[in-house]
Amino acid sequence: MMLKPRKCVAVLCMVAAVAGHIESVCSSMSDEEPGAIAVWLSTFLGPPSGVQGDVFLKSPFGDVASAPISEFCDVTLAEDEIFGEATNDQYEQQLKTYCSHLQDVTTNPVLYAASTVSCYGALTSGPPNTATGRSGIETPDFCSTRKVRVWYVALIHNAVNASGTYELWTQGTSSDLDPGDASKVCSVSQANHWFLELPDLSSNESVLPTAEPTSAPTVMLTAQPSSEPTAEPTFAPPTTEPTALPTSVPLTAE
């Protein structure tokens, strides 16, 4: 079902105009390429002249993998347009309909027909900066009610080799991907890391480390990403186990 845009009063529209540009954060994984994960970032802005920046993912073992944002997908003219408060199923349908042709820098497909697409919101309670699966517009976890116009993607190889909590951030992105509300996952940036619960689709069984990670001070989430690489800030992992994301999302009628 097509979602209709919401009207806003002048004050609210002004607030939206100065907010960040990232509207949605999703991931896709497939057993076609075990261990790989594509990270998708949507925006309500029009198509850019080019792409820049990198996406990083830190495993429960402390290993960091990264990939450049290699492509963007323009869905401005999509017939089944969606808005920022769309459900996971609607996001997945749009990505698989209009963005499955994209490839990474080594010409690998970034999305397969059987890929599991997961889109994220923020927990209303529990550890800070812990993302959870989107359950629909009944939860206030979306960052914007504006139309989704462009998807950016980075395909990170050999990044998810064990089930567990992964740390996500970006670096060196353009203003098209300025982070949004610091309390929501669309604020992901170099200064604002988010924790995702990811399944293991690799062919090799892995066991999570038993040692507890060392606690570190939490960093305030107001800094904007820098165009020049800087020292990676330290973040405290969640103190309680977040709700695991489903490995597949059931389709529900809107």
Side-chain angles (χ1 to χ4, degrees), residues 123 125-130 165 195 197 212-218 235-243:
L123 289 177
S125 62
N129 281 39
T130 299
T165 304
F195 297 93
E197 192 74 13
E212 291 294 326
T214 302
S215 296
T218 302
F235 291 80
T239 57
T240 59
E241 188 69 20
T243 304

Side-chain angles (χ1 to χ4, degrees), residues 5 9 13-14 20 24 31 46 48 65 97 107 112-113 149 168 183 190 195 238:
V9 297
C13 289
M14 185 179 298
S24 315
D31 54 12
T97 301
T107 69
Y112 296 89
R149 296 182 180 275
L168 175 72
S183 68
Q190 182 176 341
F195 297 93

